[in-house]
Amino acid sequence: MKNALCLMVFLLWISHSVNAQDLNFTNNKTTTDQIKKPVNSTAETYINKSRSTLVDTPLNEDLKSLLVAPMVVTATKFPTQMDKTGNTIRVITKQELTKLGVSSVTEALGLISNVSISQSGGLDTVFMRGMHSGSTKILLNGIELNDPISTNGQPMIASIAFSTIDQIEVVSGAKGTIYGAASQAGVINIITSTTTPVNSINAEYAGANYKLNGGLSTQINEFNIFLNSTYETENSDSLLVNTPEIDKRNLQSIALSVNKPLINNSKLSTFYTYNNLHQDLDNSTTDDKNYVNETTQHLGTIQYDWKLKSNVLFKIGYTKTITQRDYTNTPDSQSDVVSRNARYKSNIDKVFINSKYAVNAQNNIVFGLDIVNETGEFVDNGSSALGAYSSNQGNSDQSRA
Protein backbone atom coordinates (compact mmCIF):
# COMPACT_ATOMS: atom_id res chain seq x y z
CA MET A 1 0.00 0.00 0.00
CA LYS A 2 1.24 3.40 -0.90
CA ASN A 3 0.10 6.60 0.74
CA ALA A 4 0.99 9.95 -0.67
CA LEU A 5 -0.46 13.35 -1.35
CA CYS A 6 0.31 15.30 -4.47
CA LEU A 7 -0.18 19.02 -4.78
CA MET A 8 0.16 20.65 -8.13
CA VAL A 9 0.61 24.37 -8.49
CA PHE A 10 0.85 25.54 -12.03
CA LEU A 11 1.54 28.85 -13.67
CA LEU A 12 0.93 29.28 -17.36
CA TRP A 13 1.58 32.35 -19.44
CA ILE A 14 -0.22 32.24 -22.74
CA SER A 15 0.95 34.71 -25.30
CA HIS A 16 -0.46 34.98 -28.72
CA SER A 17 -0.82 37.77 -31.22
CA VAL A 18 -2.53 37.89 -34.55
CA ASN A 19 -1.96 40.42 -37.27
CA ALA A 20 -4.31 40.37 -40.21
CA GLN A 21 -5.27 42.66 -43.03
CA ASP A 22 -8.80 43.91 -43.40
CA LEU A 23 -10.13 42.76 -46.73
CA ASN A 24 -13.28 43.49 -48.68
CA PHE A 25 -14.04 41.43 -51.74
CA THR A 26 -15.71 43.04 -54.72
CA ASN A 27 -15.68 41.50 -58.21
CA ASN A 28 -12.89 39.15 -57.07
CA LYS A 29 -10.46 42.09 -56.72
CA THR A 30 -8.98 43.80 -53.66
CA THR A 31 -7.76 47.38 -53.77
CA THR A 32 -6.69 49.84 -51.11
CA ASP A 33 -9.85 51.88 -51.44
CA GLN A 34 -11.92 48.76 -50.71
CA ILE A 35 -10.38 48.12 -47.27
CA LYS A 36 -12.99 48.43 -44.53
CA LYS A 37 -13.02 48.90 -40.81
CA PRO A 38 -14.16 46.02 -38.58
CA VAL A 39 -17.89 45.45 -38.71
CA ASN A 40 -20.08 44.54 -35.75
CA SER A 41 -23.19 42.82 -37.08
CA THR A 42 -25.76 40.13 -36.52
CA ALA A 43 -25.54 36.37 -36.90
CA GLU A 44 -25.77 36.70 -40.68
CA THR A 45 -22.38 38.42 -40.85
CA TYR A 46 -18.94 37.40 -39.85
CA ILE A 47 -17.99 38.16 -36.27
CA ASN A 48 -14.53 39.42 -35.47
CA LYS A 49 -13.53 36.64 -33.05
CA SER A 50 -9.87 36.18 -33.90
CA ARG A 51 -8.78 39.81 -34.17
CA SER A 52 -8.72 39.50 -37.95
CA THR A 53 -11.36 41.63 -39.64
CA LEU A 54 -13.90 39.68 -41.65
CA VAL A 55 -16.23 41.09 -44.26
CA ASP A 56 -19.91 41.59 -43.61
CA THR A 57 -20.92 39.15 -46.32
CA PRO A 58 -23.25 36.25 -45.41
CA LEU A 59 -21.52 32.93 -46.16
CA ASN A 60 -22.37 29.29 -45.50
CA GLU A 61 -21.79 27.72 -42.09
CA ASP A 62 -19.02 25.37 -43.29
CA LEU A 63 -16.86 28.28 -44.45
CA LYS A 64 -17.57 30.22 -41.26
CA SER A 65 -16.40 27.29 -39.14
CA LEU A 66 -13.09 27.30 -40.99
CA LEU A 67 -12.45 31.00 -40.44
CA VAL A 68 -13.81 31.55 -36.94
CA ALA A 69 -11.81 29.78 -34.24
CA PRO A 70 -13.92 27.71 -31.81
CA MET A 71 -13.89 28.03 -28.05
CA VAL A 72 -12.00 25.34 -26.15
CA VAL A 73 -11.57 24.59 -22.45
CA THR A 74 -8.94 21.86 -22.36
CA ALA A 75 -5.85 23.98 -23.00
CA THR A 76 -6.23 26.34 -20.00
CA LYS A 77 -9.18 24.83 -18.04
CA PHE A 78 -11.15 27.98 -18.92
CA PRO A 79 -13.14 28.76 -22.09
CA THR A 80 -10.55 30.24 -24.46
CA GLN A 81 -10.62 30.94 -28.15
CA MET A 82 -8.51 28.24 -29.81
CA ASP A 83 -6.23 30.58 -31.75
CA LYS A 84 -5.28 32.36 -28.50
CA THR A 85 -4.13 29.33 -26.51
CA GLY A 86 -0.62 28.92 -27.92
CA ASN A 87 -1.18 25.13 -28.02
CA THR A 88 -1.48 22.53 -30.76
CA ILE A 89 -5.18 21.72 -30.56
CA ARG A 90 -7.49 19.63 -32.73
CA VAL A 91 -11.23 20.06 -32.23
CA ILE A 92 -13.55 17.42 -33.68
CA THR A 93 -17.14 18.61 -33.69
CA LYS A 94 -20.34 16.57 -33.69
CA GLN A 95 -21.09 17.85 -37.19
CA GLU A 96 -17.79 16.46 -38.49
CA LEU A 97 -18.36 13.08 -36.86
CA THR A 98 -21.87 12.87 -38.33
CA LYS A 99 -20.66 13.65 -41.84
CA LEU A 100 -17.91 11.03 -41.58
CA GLY A 101 -20.32 8.34 -40.37
CA VAL A 102 -18.47 7.78 -37.09
CA SER A 103 -20.45 5.75 -34.55
CA SER A 104 -18.17 5.30 -31.50
CA VAL A 105 -15.62 7.15 -29.39
CA THR A 106 -12.94 4.70 -30.51
CA GLU A 107 -13.59 5.51 -34.18
CA ALA A 108 -13.60 9.24 -33.43
CA LEU A 109 -10.21 9.16 -31.70
CA GLY A 110 -8.88 7.10 -34.60
CA LEU A 111 -9.37 10.17 -36.83
CA ILE A 112 -6.55 12.00 -35.05
CA SER A 113 -3.27 11.73 -36.94
CA ASN A 114 -0.99 11.19 -33.92
CA VAL A 115 -3.32 8.80 -32.07
CA SER A 116 -3.62 5.04 -32.52
CA ILE A 117 -5.89 2.63 -30.63
CA SER A 118 -5.71 -1.10 -30.00
CA GLN A 119 -8.35 -3.26 -28.34
CA SER A 120 -7.73 -6.26 -26.09
CA GLY A 121 -9.65 -7.89 -23.27
CA GLY A 122 -12.47 -5.38 -23.52
CA LEU A 123 -10.11 -2.44 -22.99
CA ASP A 124 -9.06 0.30 -25.41
CA THR A 125 -5.38 1.21 -25.33
CA VAL A 126 -4.67 4.74 -26.58
CA PHE A 127 -1.22 5.57 -27.94
CA MET A 128 -0.57 9.28 -28.56
CA ARG A 129 2.62 10.67 -30.07
CA GLY A 130 4.23 7.21 -29.84
CA MET A 131 3.91 7.01 -26.03
CA HIS A 132 2.15 4.35 -23.95
CA SER A 133 -1.46 4.71 -22.82
CA GLY A 134 -0.48 5.96 -19.37
CA SER A 135 1.00 9.10 -20.96
CA THR A 136 -2.30 10.47 -22.27
CA LYS A 137 -4.89 11.96 -19.94
CA ILE A 138 -8.42 11.32 -21.18
CA LEU A 139 -11.34 13.23 -19.67
CA LEU A 140 -15.12 13.37 -19.95
CA ASN A 141 -16.25 16.93 -19.22
CA GLY A 142 -13.07 17.31 -17.18
CA ILE A 143 -13.60 14.05 -15.25
CA GLU A 144 -10.77 11.51 -15.48
CA LEU A 145 -11.50 8.31 -17.43
CA ASN A 146 -8.17 6.56 -16.91
CA ASP A 147 -8.45 3.44 -14.75
CA PRO A 148 -5.49 3.44 -12.31
CA ILE A 149 -5.86 -0.29 -11.59
CA SER A 150 -5.46 -1.23 -15.29
CA THR A 151 -2.18 -1.61 -17.16
CA ASN A 152 -0.62 1.86 -17.57
CA GLY A 153 -3.93 3.40 -16.51
CA GLN A 154 -5.86 2.54 -19.67
CA PRO A 155 -8.94 4.75 -20.22
CA MET A 156 -12.48 3.41 -20.13
CA ILE A 157 -13.76 5.00 -23.35
CA ALA A 158 -15.78 2.10 -24.75
CA SER A 159 -18.49 2.73 -22.15
CA ILE A 160 -19.07 6.36 -23.22
CA ALA A 161 -22.33 6.91 -25.12
CA PHE A 162 -21.33 8.35 -28.49
CA SER A 163 -24.70 10.02 -29.15
CA THR A 164 -24.17 12.48 -26.26
CA ILE A 165 -20.84 13.86 -27.53
CA ASP A 166 -20.78 17.52 -28.56
CA GLN A 167 -17.09 17.83 -29.43
CA ILE A 168 -13.69 16.29 -28.71
CA GLU A 169 -10.72 18.52 -27.86
CA VAL A 170 -7.23 17.12 -28.35
CA VAL A 171 -4.21 19.00 -26.99
CA SER A 172 -0.91 17.55 -28.23
CA GLY A 173 2.29 17.89 -26.25
CA ALA A 174 3.21 17.69 -22.59
CA LYS A 175 0.61 19.34 -20.33
CA GLY A 176 2.06 18.39 -16.96
CA THR A 177 2.10 22.05 -15.93
CA ILE A 178 -1.69 22.09 -15.83
CA TYR A 179 -2.76 18.44 -15.68
CA GLY A 180 0.11 16.82 -13.77
CA ALA A 181 1.33 13.28 -14.31
CA ALA A 182 -0.03 11.00 -17.04
CA SER A 183 -0.25 13.86 -19.56
CA GLN A 184 3.21 13.75 -21.18
CA ALA A 185 1.74 12.91 -24.60
CA GLY A 186 -1.25 15.23 -24.33
CA VAL A 187 -4.82 15.57 -23.12
CA ILE A 188 -8.07 14.44 -24.75
CA ASN A 189 -11.29 15.95 -23.38
CA ILE A 190 -14.59 14.44 -24.54
CA ILE A 191 -17.27 17.07 -24.05
CA THR A 192 -20.96 16.23 -23.96
CA SER A 193 -23.93 18.54 -24.36
CA THR A 194 -24.78 19.67 -20.81
CA THR A 195 -26.22 23.14 -21.40
CA THR A 196 -28.00 22.97 -24.77
CA PRO A 197 -31.80 22.64 -24.45
CA VAL A 198 -33.01 19.46 -26.14
CA ASN A 199 -36.25 17.50 -26.05
CA SER A 200 -36.08 14.64 -28.48
CA ILE A 201 -36.08 10.88 -28.99
CA ASN A 202 -34.00 9.22 -31.69
CA ALA A 203 -34.01 5.58 -32.79
CA GLU A 204 -31.70 3.83 -35.26
CA TYR A 205 -31.96 0.28 -36.55
CA ALA A 206 -29.67 -1.65 -38.89
CA GLY A 207 -29.89 -5.43 -39.03
CA ALA A 208 -29.15 -6.81 -35.58
CA ASN A 209 -27.88 -3.45 -34.29
CA TYR A 210 -30.05 -0.72 -32.84
CA LYS A 211 -29.69 2.47 -30.82
CA LEU A 212 -32.19 4.47 -28.83
CA ASN A 213 -31.43 7.79 -27.17
CA GLY A 214 -33.44 10.68 -25.86
CA GLY A 215 -32.97 14.01 -24.19
CA LEU A 216 -35.07 16.19 -21.91
CA SER A 217 -34.43 19.70 -20.64
CA THR A 218 -36.46 21.86 -18.30
CA GLN A 219 -36.18 24.69 -15.78
CA ILE A 220 -37.45 24.55 -12.20
CA ASN A 221 -37.00 27.58 -9.94
CA GLU A 222 -33.91 28.83 -11.82
CA PHE A 223 -32.42 25.33 -11.87
CA ASN A 224 -31.61 24.30 -15.44
CA ILE A 225 -31.96 20.51 -15.74
CA PHE A 226 -30.72 18.37 -18.64
CA LEU A 227 -31.30 14.62 -18.84
CA ASN A 228 -29.99 12.25 -21.51
CA SER A 229 -30.36 8.49 -21.81
CA THR A 230 -28.89 5.99 -24.30
CA TYR A 231 -29.36 2.30 -25.03
CA GLU A 232 -27.23 0.56 -27.69
CA THR A 233 -27.00 -3.06 -28.82
CA GLU A 234 -24.64 -4.59 -31.38
CA ASN A 235 -25.18 -8.22 -32.42
CA SER A 236 -23.42 -8.49 -35.77
CA ASP A 237 -19.64 -8.63 -35.25
CA SER A 238 -17.01 -10.95 -33.84
CA LEU A 239 -13.80 -9.88 -32.12
CA LEU A 240 -11.95 -12.45 -34.25
CA VAL A 241 -11.85 -12.59 -38.05
CA ASN A 242 -13.12 -15.54 -40.09
CA THR A 243 -15.33 -16.89 -37.32
CA PRO A 244 -19.11 -17.41 -37.25
CA GLU A 245 -19.52 -16.56 -33.57
CA ILE A 246 -21.18 -13.25 -32.75
CA ASP A 247 -19.79 -11.24 -29.83
CA LYS A 248 -22.58 -9.11 -28.44
CA ARG A 249 -22.17 -5.62 -27.02
CA ASN A 250 -24.75 -3.80 -24.93
CA LEU A 251 -24.42 -0.26 -23.55
CA GLN A 252 -26.73 1.62 -21.19
CA SER A 253 -26.04 5.20 -20.19
CA ILE A 254 -27.85 7.96 -18.34
CA ALA A 255 -26.52 11.48 -17.74
CA LEU A 256 -27.90 14.30 -15.61
CA SER A 257 -26.71 17.90 -15.58
CA VAL A 258 -28.02 20.63 -13.26
CA ASN A 259 -26.83 24.22 -13.09
CA LYS A 260 -28.08 27.35 -11.40
CA PRO A 261 -27.01 30.99 -11.84
CA LEU A 262 -26.16 32.65 -8.52
CA ILE A 263 -25.65 36.23 -7.40
CA ASN A 264 -22.49 38.25 -8.09
CA ASN A 265 -21.75 36.73 -11.53
CA SER A 266 -21.41 33.19 -10.19
CA LYS A 267 -22.81 29.79 -11.13
CA LEU A 268 -23.14 26.36 -9.54
CA SER A 269 -23.13 23.34 -11.86
CA THR A 270 -23.20 19.56 -11.43
CA PHE A 271 -22.87 16.62 -13.79
CA TYR A 272 -23.33 12.89 -13.24
CA THR A 273 -23.37 9.94 -15.60
CA TYR A 274 -23.88 6.21 -15.11
CA ASN A 275 -22.53 3.89 -17.81
CA ASN A 276 -22.90 0.12 -17.99
CA LEU A 277 -21.19 -1.87 -20.77
CA HIS A 278 -21.69 -5.60 -21.25
CA GLN A 279 -19.60 -7.27 -23.97
CA ASP A 280 -18.60 -10.75 -25.08
CA LEU A 281 -14.89 -11.45 -25.26
CA ASP A 282 -12.68 -14.00 -27.00
CA ASN A 283 -9.26 -15.48 -26.38
CA SER A 284 -6.40 -14.11 -28.47
CA THR A 285 -6.70 -16.82 -31.16
CA THR A 286 -9.94 -18.75 -30.53
CA ASP A 287 -13.61 -18.07 -29.90
CA ASP A 288 -14.83 -18.31 -26.33
CA LYS A 289 -18.60 -18.41 -26.06
CA ASN A 290 -18.77 -17.95 -22.29
CA TYR A 291 -16.19 -15.20 -21.77
CA VAL A 292 -17.92 -11.92 -20.83
CA ASN A 293 -16.95 -8.56 -19.37
CA GLU A 294 -19.14 -5.99 -17.62
CA THR A 295 -17.84 -2.48 -16.98
CA THR A 296 -19.70 -0.05 -14.73
CA GLN A 297 -18.81 3.63 -14.38
CA HIS A 298 -20.02 6.37 -12.06
CA LEU A 299 -18.66 9.79 -13.05
CA GLY A 300 -19.59 13.01 -11.31
CA THR A 301 -18.51 16.58 -10.71
CA ILE A 302 -19.70 19.66 -8.85
CA GLN A 303 -18.23 23.06 -9.70
CA TYR A 304 -18.61 26.67 -8.58
CA ASP A 305 -17.66 29.41 -11.05
CA TRP A 306 -17.22 33.04 -10.07
CA LYS A 307 -16.39 36.03 -12.22
CA LEU A 308 -14.72 38.34 -9.72
CA LYS A 309 -13.98 41.05 -12.28
CA SER A 310 -14.22 41.41 -16.03
CA ASN A 311 -10.70 39.99 -16.33
CA VAL A 312 -10.57 37.64 -13.33
CA LEU A 313 -12.21 34.19 -13.29
CA PHE A 314 -12.22 31.70 -10.43
CA LYS A 315 -13.54 28.17 -10.02
CA ILE A 316 -13.43 25.45 -7.40
CA GLY A 317 -14.77 21.93 -7.70
CA TYR A 318 -14.64 18.22 -7.05
CA THR A 319 -14.71 15.23 -9.42
CA LYS A 320 -15.28 11.55 -8.68
CA THR A 321 -14.58 8.50 -10.87
CA ILE A 322 -15.64 4.98 -9.90
CA THR A 323 -14.83 2.16 -12.30
CA GLN A 324 -15.61 -1.52 -11.81
CA ARG A 325 -14.72 -4.27 -14.29
CA ASP A 326 -16.01 -7.83 -13.87
CA TYR A 327 -14.74 -10.77 -15.94
CA THR A 328 -16.44 -14.17 -16.03
CA ASN A 329 -15.36 -17.18 -18.07
CA THR A 330 -16.86 -20.63 -17.52
CA PRO A 331 -15.59 -23.77 -19.30
CA ASP A 332 -17.20 -24.34 -22.69
CA SER A 333 -17.03 -28.14 -22.33
CA GLN A 334 -15.85 -30.86 -19.95
CA SER A 335 -12.42 -30.83 -21.60
CA ASP A 336 -12.07 -27.04 -21.35
CA VAL A 337 -9.70 -26.05 -18.53
CA VAL A 338 -9.94 -22.28 -19.00
CA SER A 339 -11.99 -20.37 -16.42
CA ARG A 340 -11.89 -16.95 -14.81
CA ASN A 341 -13.68 -14.93 -12.17
CA ALA A 342 -12.23 -11.47 -11.63
CA ARG A 343 -13.19 -8.03 -10.33
CA TYR A 344 -11.21 -4.79 -10.67
CA LYS A 345 -12.42 -1.67 -8.87
CA SER A 346 -10.85 1.80 -8.74
CA ASN A 347 -11.65 5.29 -7.45
CA ILE A 348 -10.29 8.70 -8.39
CA ASP A 349 -11.05 11.72 -6.21
CA LYS A 350 -9.91 15.16 -7.28
CA VAL A 351 -10.31 18.60 -5.73
CA PHE A 352 -9.32 21.56 -7.89
CA ILE A 353 -9.00 25.33 -7.55
CA ASN A 354 -8.23 27.34 -10.67
CA SER A 355 -7.98 31.05 -11.50
CA LYS A 356 -7.45 33.02 -14.67
CA TYR A 357 -6.24 36.61 -14.89
CA ALA A 358 -6.46 38.35 -18.27
CA VAL A 359 -3.56 40.80 -18.45
CA ASN A 360 -4.72 42.08 -21.83
CA ALA A 361 -6.41 40.77 -24.97
CA GLN A 362 -3.49 38.47 -25.83
CA ASN A 363 -1.93 37.49 -22.48
CA ASN A 364 -3.40 35.49 -19.60
CA ILE A 365 -2.08 34.06 -16.36
CA VAL A 366 -3.63 30.75 -15.28
CA PHE A 367 -2.79 29.25 -11.91
CA GLY A 368 -4.32 26.74 -9.55
CA LEU A 369 -4.08 23.70 -7.33
CA ASP A 370 -5.11 20.06 -7.91
CA ILE A 371 -5.25 17.38 -5.22
CA VAL A 372 -5.72 13.88 -6.66
CA ASN A 373 -6.08 10.60 -4.80
CA GLU A 374 -6.42 7.15 -6.41
CA THR A 375 -7.42 3.87 -4.80
CA GLY A 376 -7.84 0.45 -6.32
CA GLU A 377 -8.29 -3.22 -5.54
CA PHE A 378 -8.70 -6.44 -7.51
CA VAL A 379 -9.28 -10.15 -7.15
CA ASP A 380 -8.52 -12.46 -10.10
CA ASN A 381 -9.03 -16.23 -9.81
CA GLY A 382 -9.14 -18.86 -12.52
CA SER A 383 -7.41 -21.69 -14.29
CA SER A 384 -5.53 -22.23 -17.54
CA ALA A 385 -3.51 -24.94 -19.25
CA LEU A 386 -0.78 -24.24 -16.68
CA GLY A 387 -3.13 -24.89 -13.76
CA ALA A 388 -5.11 -22.81 -11.29
CA TYR A 389 -4.05 -19.30 -10.36
CA SER A 390 -5.07 -16.64 -7.85
CA SER A 391 -4.03 -13.02 -7.41
CA ASN A 392 -5.39 -10.09 -5.46
CA GLN A 393 -4.51 -6.66 -4.20
CA GLY A 394 -6.65 -4.77 -1.74
CA ASN A 395 -7.01 -1.10 -0.87
CA SER A 396 -3.96 0.28 -2.66
CA ASP A 397 -3.64 4.05 -2.25
CA GLN A 398 -1.59 6.49 -4.22
CA SER A 399 -1.77 10.06 -5.42
CA ARG A 400 -0.65 11.73 -8.60
CA ALA A 401 -1.08 15.07 -10.33
Side-chain angles (χ1 to χ4, degrees), residues 43-46 55-60 64:
E44 287 300 316
T45 63
Y46 275 109
V55 294
D56 54 341
T57 304
L59 295 176
N60 63 66
K64 288 183 181 181

Side-chain angles (χ1 to χ4, degrees), residues 16-183:
H16 183 77
S17 62
V18 179
N19 295 316
Q21 290 182 330
D22 301 338
L23 300 179
N24 180 39
F25 297 93
T26 306
N27 298 325
N28 297 324
K29 295 181 180 180
T30 304
T31 59
T32 56
D33 59 345
Q34 293 171 332
I35 295 178
K36 287 188 175 183
K37 295 182 178 180
V39 178
N40 294 322
S41 54
T42 61
E44 287 300 316
T45 63
Y46 275 109
I47 302 174
N48 182 10
K49 286 188 177 180
S50 59
R51 298 192 70 234
S52 58
T53 304
L54 304 176
V55 294
D56 54 341
T57 304
L59 295 176
N60 63 66
E61 294 299 325
D62 290 338
L63 189 53
K64 288 183 181 181
S65 65
L66 292 175
L67 295 178
V68 179
M71 300 293 287
V72 296
V73 299
T74 308
T76 65
K77 293 191 176 181
F78 288 91
T80 307
Q81 199 168 307
M82 189 173 71
D83 61 351
K84 293 184 179 181
T85 63
N87 291 271
T88 303
I89 303 178
R90 172 73 169 98
V91 177
I92 307 175
T93 64
K94 187 171 187 176
Q95 290 74 16
E96 288 182 84
L97 298 173
T98 301
K99 290 180 180 179
L100 293 172
V102 176
S103 60
S104 70
V105 178
T106 302
E107 291 180 11
L109 296 182
L111 299 174
I112 306 167
S113 59
N114 60 353
V115 173
S116 61
I117 300 176
S118 66
Q119 296 175 299
S120 177
L123 297 176
D124 294 305
T125 304
V126 179
F127 302 96
M128 186 173 182
R129 300 176 64 228
M131 300 185 185
H132 64 77
S133 58
S135 299
T136 304
K137 180 152 300 192
I138 300 184
L139 312 168
L140 176 71
N141 295 333
I143 306 170
E144 299 200 20
L145 292 178
N146 298 70
D147 183 0
I149 206 69
S150 66
T151 304
N152 289 329
Q154 291 168 294
M156 301 294 107
I157 59 176
S159 53
I160 302 302
F162 178 77
S163 60
T164 63
I165 294 177
D166 190 51
Q167 70 180 34
I168 301 175
E169 299 177 4
V170 183
V171 182
S172 297
K175 296 299 293 179
T177 308
I178 292 184
Y179 288 97
S183 59

Side-chain angles (χ1 to χ4, degrees), residues 2-21:
K2 299 180 181 179
N3 292 286
L5 183 64
C6 279
L7 300 181
M8 179 182 68
V9 180
F10 53 81
L11 177 64
L12 176 65
W13 183 276
I14 302 174
S15 178
H16 183 77
S17 62
V18 179
N19 295 316
Q21 290 182 330

Side-chain angles (χ1 to χ4, degrees), residues 131-355:
M131 300 185 185
H132 64 77
S133 58
S135 299
T136 304
K137 180 152 300 192
I138 300 184
L139 312 168
L140 176 71
N141 295 333
I143 306 170
E144 299 200 20
L145 292 178
N146 298 70
D147 183 0
I149 206 69
S150 66
T151 304
N152 289 329
Q154 291 168 294
M156 301 294 107
I157 59 176
S159 53
I160 302 302
F162 178 77
S163 60
T164 63
I165 294 177
D166 190 51
Q167 70 180 34
I168 301 175
E169 299 177 4
V170 183
V171 182
S172 297
K175 296 299 293 179
T177 308
I178 292 184
Y179 288 97
S183 59
Q184 299 94 322
V187 179
I188 298 174
N189 194 8
I190 303 168
I191 299 175
T192 63
S193 234
T194 59
T195 58
T196 303
V198 59
N199 292 282
S200 64
I201 296 178
N202 179 62
E204 300 179 23
Y205 176 81
N209 304 335
Y210 58 90
K211 299 179 181 180
L212 179 66
N213 63 77
L216 174 66
S217 60
T218 186
Q219 186 177 43
I220 302 176
N221 296 330
E222 296 186 352
F223 285 90
N224 301 306
I225 303 173
F226 306 89
L227 180 66
N228 190 286
S229 181
T230 300
Y231 184 86
E232 301 179 2
T233 295
E234 295 181 8
N235 295 317
S236 60
D237 295 323
S238 175
L239 295 179
L240 296 178
V241 297
N242 300 322
T243 175
E245 186 208 6
I246 299 301
D247 292 311
K248 298 180 180 180
R249 178 181 179 274
N250 181 274
L251 173 64
Q252 304 171 58
S253 175
I254 185 168
L256 174 66
S257 175
V258 180
N259 62 74
K260 182 182 186 300
L262 303 175
I263 60 175
N264 299 326
N265 295 319
S266 60
K267 181 181 72 172
L268 181 66
S269 56
T270 63
F271 172 78
Y272 167 78
T273 182
Y274 165 81
N275 304 316
N276 179 267
L277 173 66
H278 184 281
Q279 55 186 342
D280 293 344
L281 303 178
D282 282 328
N283 294 317
S284 57
T285 58
T286 59
D287 286 331
D288 196 326
K289 298 180 180 179
N290 298 322
Y291 192 11
V292 297
N293 158 244
E294 183 172 2
T295 299
T296 302
Q297 280 182 318
H298 297 272
L299 309 172
T301 182
I302 181 169
Q303 179 174 309
Y304 173 73
D305 294 86
W306 184 20
K307 187 175 182 180
L308 284 77
K309 297 181 179 180
S310 60
N311 63 336
V312 179
L313 302 177
F314 170 84
K315 65 180 178 181
I316 183 172
Y318 167 76
T319 69
K320 176 79 171 181
T321 303
I322 301 176
T323 304
Q324 179 172 305
R325 295 179 286 120
D326 293 295
Y327 297 87
T328 304
N329 190 4
T330 57
D332 295 337
S333 63
Q334 291 183 349
S335 60
D336 188 4
V337 297
V338 177
S339 66
R340 188 184 185 192
N341 187 9
R343 168 168 290 182
Y344 292 77
K345 186 175 182 179
S346 65
N347 295 269
I348 303 177
D349 297 276
K350 181 173 73 172
V351 176
F352 61 88
I353 303 173
N354 304 126
S355 298

